[in-house]
Amino acid sequence: MSKVNKLLHHWLLKSVSEKAFAWLEHKQAQISSGAAERVFFTAFSAVPRYLGKQDLQLTFQDLEAAEDVIPGWYPGNWSVDQAGRTLLLLALPHDDAQGYVRSLDQVFSTADMGELVALYQSLPLLPHSELHRQRAAEGIRSNMSNVFQAIALRNPYPANYLDNAAWNQMVLKAVFVGSPLHLIWGLDRRANPELAKMLADYAHERWAAKRSVTPELWRPVGRFADSAIVTDLEKVLANGDTAEQEAAALACAESPLPQAQALLSRYPDLQSSIQQGNLTWNNFSRK
Amino acid sequence: MMYIDPHIHMCSRTTYDYLVMREYGIVAVIEPAFWLGQPRTNAGSFKDYFSSLVGWERFRASQFGIQHYCTIGLNPKEANNEALATEVMELLPLYACKEGVVAIGEIGYDDMTEAEDKYFCQQLELAKELDMLVLIHTPHRNKKAGAIQSMERCIEYGLDPSQVVIDHNNEETVEEVLGRGFWAAFTIYPQTKMGNARMVEVVRKYGCDRIIVDSSADWGISDPLAVPKTAQLMLDRGIPEEHVRAVCYENALAAYSQTGQMKASDWLNPQSIDQRQLFSGNSVLRGQEPGIKSVSDFVLIE
């Protein structure tokens, strides 16, 4: 049994009844021994009827174990049906990559919202990782907020596998729908100049409509700010509320441009609290 | 008073309807799979339709605080295209066990052809196999004979009458349906089916046991507020409040909660995950502010 399988088994054992667990194990055995696809399809749908939908009760150690097996895997907000469905996906024979993806396609294309959330959350755990890129990009196009969030937030798949175009769309959409950006795994690592430009343009659109801009928007921008963006940051530092000022200061601190450093030096309190490590993106996002 | 509309085709209605329905006290709806006004030409259309019933439509309803359930089935009219019907039958197991699917339906007869009978029976077998309820559509023409034959088939295939809702009843079918122990649903629909003034008299005459009121509102001229409006008329005309509550809320809940896929706590104490979803989506809102709670908020369109 794989490490992921072992963890999920262990967590479910302490979260669901013996009878429910036995049902799941029976279905896993049928599916892994090559039962008709109909068995997989009906079982995958029926998981909440047998296991329920309560949250998995995970300890800090459980979460650490998850992170050890797959960096970025965070099942802290998973429910028992999601864990059960993931086990059924992992039970599906996958030696034939094409056949495996074909079965996944069928279940994705008929899935309801709960199933979609489970499917997208499980992408980083599934075999043939590189074959799910299109699927992940598709998840980002969803109009259902929690389906979008299942792929975009607390999920290492996008940062590890998406190309820049899809990645940038995902980050921009997260801003657009109001998702907390600090929950996007690998956000800092995958920051890039095109994304910085897109986010700054988006800020201008919001300002034109007299709407607010989430301060987190500046997080992937700082390192790639050009002089136009530094001018934007100057405006935020001059007119923004405390959170916006802190975000703009952090962005300046990350910029290699002398213009940005000069700007930051005009705000010595913010500059020193960044230099002393009191103001960071991590503690900023917890506000 | 809270209401359930246990038969309404929301995919034909606008988001504005959800807003008004919630304001009138509708907390839950059931959307039976039915035909779209013109026949579908391939199974892919059915697949997308079923997906929208368990997916987009349910999400759209949730954005306005309404719980959306559905029934899955091949409707009688389209059972007459046998090549298509065979493929649709293969799709049903992919959807029947999903969350919030409360019955196989609406199935039954339209012209009462052999093909309709064949796929009706196959779906009764599927319901029996999966231990599900059944929602029966009774025909517009030759209704009484269609209703009776539907009930006889249900018994023949081993379904308990308490697991079967017979819909679109009228004064001519109600006695037979109630007498045989089935649930009797009535569709308040302009010009056809049942009128709300007639409905008052049906409840006055037959009481409230196993009687259910719905709107069947769809793409035709129909009213998504038919259930609350009929309830109001019943109250105005002296039907006891507990009878009104039974036929406009409690009986639908009692019938469809038998599957375990629908329960009052779904709307009385929505799960935290649903609260996180509420109004946090984007496309339903089409650029509007997500806080809109009342039709009166639309007085000024900026």
Side-chain angles (χ1 to χ4, degrees):
Chain A
M1 208 194 308
S2 79
K3 285 178 181 171
V4 170
N5 261 295
K6 268 188 201 155
L7 286 178
L8 289 168
H9 253 98
H10 172 61
W11 299 337
L12 276 178
L13 254 179
K14 55 180 187 174
S15 302
V16 304
S17 72
E18 257 176 57
K19 197 176 153 208
F21 193 77
W23 176 84
L24 185 70
E25 282 204 306
H26 174 61
K27 290 296 166 190
Q28 275 182 287
Q30 282 183 301
I31 292 163
S32 63
S33 60
E37 251 183 339
R38 177 174 167 157
V39 173
F40 170 63
F41 294 148
T42 49
F44 188 78
S45 285
V47 166
R49 297 185 185 214
Y50 292 88
L51 270 60
K53 294 170 71 175
Q54 64 277 24
D55 289 340
L56 270 182
Q57 299 298 323
L58 300 186
T59 63
F60 180 68
Q61 284 75 16
D62 291 332
L63 293 173
E64 273 191 330
E67 176 75 31
D68 280 347
V69 177
I70 311 249
W73 182 26
Y74 181 85
N77 56 345
W78 282 31
S79 51
V80 292
D81 58 306
Q82 291 168 351
R85 281 178 166 155
T86 304
L87 279 171
L88 295 185
L89 287 168
L90 292 169
L92 204 56
H94 58 262
D95 288 347
D96 165 22
Q98 275 187 329
Y100 183 72
V101 171
R102 206 167 40 239
S103 299
L104 280 191
D105 281 346
Q106 257 179 298
V107 73
F108 263 106
S109 74
T110 56
D112 66 18
M113 188 159 61
E115 291 172 323
L116 284 174
V117 168
L119 284 161
Y120 283 117
Q121 273 180 350
S122 69
L123 279 188
L125 314 177
L126 300 186
H128 307 296
S129 299
E130 68 291 348
L131 298 181
H132 311 315
R133 287 195 174 100
Q134 283 302 324
R135 185 55 69 187
E138 192 59 37
I140 292 162
R141 296 188 189 106
S142 174
N143 285 332
M144 304 185 211
S145 49
N146 55 346
V147 174
F148 171 75
Q149 287 174 2
I151 183 78
L153 306 185
R154 296 182 149 145
N155 187 336
Y157 190 89
N160 288 338
Y161 291 98
L162 289 186
D163 62 24
N164 266 7
W167 168 264
N168 289 350
Q169 274 305 320
M170 185 188 89
V171 176
L172 190 63
K173 185 160 175 177
V175 175
F176 191 79
V177 302
S179 297
L181 296 199
H182 66 278
L183 297 182
I184 297 178
W185 194 81
L187 179 66
D188 298 326
R189 171 162 69 83
R190 291 290 309 267
N192 62 76
E194 294 77 26
L195 179 60
K197 179 81 170 58
M198 287 162 79
L199 290 171
D201 282 349
Y202 177 71
H204 278 262
E205 276 185 53
R206 298 282 298 179
W207 289 334
K210 302 197 168 21
R211 297 192 174 112
S212 64
V213 174
T214 171
E216 277 195 297
L217 176 139
W218 304 109
R219 181 166 178 168
V221 169
R223 270 190 293 149
F224 303 99
D226 56 16
S227 68
I229 291 178
V230 176
T231 310
D232 293 338
L233 295 172
E234 189 173 0
K235 203 160 110 182
V236 178
L237 277 162
N239 307 323
D241 62 20
T242 308
E244 288 172 320
Q245 287 179 324
E246 289 181 352
L250 281 163
C252 284
E254 286 169 350
S255 166
L257 292 185
Q259 190 192 348
Q261 296 309 319
L263 172 60
L264 183 57
S265 67
R266 281 159 48 196
Y267 296 86
D269 288 353
L270 289 169
Q271 188 179 34
S272 71
S273 86
I274 292 170
Q275 279 165 354
Q276 287 160 17
N278 295 329
L279 174 59
T280 65
W281 282 119
N282 279 339
N283 67 21
F284 164 82
S285 41
R286 288 202 190 92
K287 276 177 190 165
Chain B
M1 197 182 286
M2 288 189 297
Y3 303 106
I4 295 172
D5 190 338
H7 188 142
I8 182 165
H9 299 285
M10 288 310 300
C11 71
S12 306
R13 316 289 322 183
T14 69
T15 300
Y16 185 79
D17 288 336
Y18 277 125
L19 186 69
V20 181
M21 287 160 67
R22 188 67 188 84
E23 207 159 317
Y24 274 72
I26 295 175
V27 292
V29 295
I30 298 173
E31 176 152 11
F34 195 48
W35 90 316
L36 296 176
Q38 65 178 36
R40 280 159 283 208
T41 55
N42 64 79
S45 302
F46 273 92
K47 181 177 162 186
D48 290 337
Y49 175 61
F50 293 151
S51 288
S52 75
L53 294 184
V54 298
W56 174 244
E57 203 49 58
R58 181 169 302 166
F59 177 70
R60 194 165 71 113
S62 77
Q63 297 284 287
F64 292 84
I66 293 180
Q67 296 289 319
H68 181 283
Y69 307 86
C70 68
T71 76
I72 292 289
L74 168 66
N75 70 79
K77 276 177 191 277
E78 286 170 282
N80 289 307
N81 179 344
E82 289 214 47
L84 179 63
T86 308
E87 287 183 60
V88 175
M89 287 304 300
E90 284 173 24
L91 277 173
L92 296 185
L94 274 155
Y95 292 92
C97 294
K98 290 201 193 300
E99 278 185 80
V101 177
V102 295
I104 298 293
E106 49 184 312
I107 59 175
Y109 299 111
D110 182 49
D111 281 354
M112 297 182 72
T113 61
E114 270 181 43
E116 287 175 16
D117 191 48
K118 173 179 165 188
Y119 292 101
F120 179 47
C121 292
Q122 283 187 14
Q123 292 185 90
L124 292 179
E125 275 180 334
L126 181 69
K128 189 71 191 160
E129 176 194 331
L130 299 175
D131 191 24
M132 291 187 75
L133 303 186
V134 172
L135 168 60
I136 306 271
H137 161 93
T138 51
H140 299 263
R141 305 167 302 278
N142 206 9
K143 183 180 282 288
K144 197 166 185 183
I148 289 169
Q149 187 171 328
S150 300
M151 290 188 281
E152 283 174 354
R153 284 280 187 262
C154 288
I155 300 298
E156 197 180 314
Y157 280 84
L159 288 148
D160 189 305
S162 68
Q163 293 180 300
V164 181
V165 179
I166 309 286
D167 208 349
H168 315 320
N169 282 288
N170 58 26
E171 294 86 346
E172 294 297 306
T173 57
V174 55
E175 273 189 34
E176 186 90 27
V177 171
L178 290 175
R180 290 177 183 235
F182 290 80
W183 297 91
F186 294 81
T187 298
I188 311 298
Y189 201 102
Q191 311 303 328
T192 61
K193 298 169 183 156
M194 177 58 65
N196 48 15
R198 286 159 59 204
M199 191 68 226
V200 175
E201 297 314 312
V202 168
V203 173
R204 204 190 301 283
K205 183 167 178 189
Y206 294 96
C208 61
D209 191 25
R210 280 180 290 120
I211 287 179
I212 295 172
V213 178
D214 60 64
S215 75
S216 201
D218 57 10
W219 39 259
I221 293 177
S222 49
D223 188 355
L225 297 177
V227 174
K229 284 181 183 173
T230 304
Q232 189 56 51
L233 192 66
M234 286 182 195
L235 293 173
D236 291 348
R237 297 192 175 178
I239 304 290
E241 191 177 325
E242 60 267 32
H243 288 204
V244 179
R245 187 177 299 114
V247 299
C248 296
Y249 176 82
E250 283 165 359
N251 290 350
L253 178 58
Y256 288 104
S257 65
Q258 294 182 78
T259 56
Q261 292 305 295
M262 179 185 189
K263 43 194 183 307
S265 61
D266 293 348
W267 52 89
L268 296 178
N269 313 298
Q271 291 200 335
S272 58
I273 187 161
D274 292 333
Q275 284 170 341
R276 284 201 296 269
Q277 274 162 232
L278 203 63
F279 293 125
S280 64
N282 58 94
S283 270
V284 163
L285 300 170
R286 296 281 175 221
Q288 295 140 15
E289 287 301 316
I292 293 167
K293 292 213 169 61
S294 161
V295 277
S296 58
D297 291 353
F298 285 104
V299 171
L300 180 62
I301 298 175
E302 286 176 287

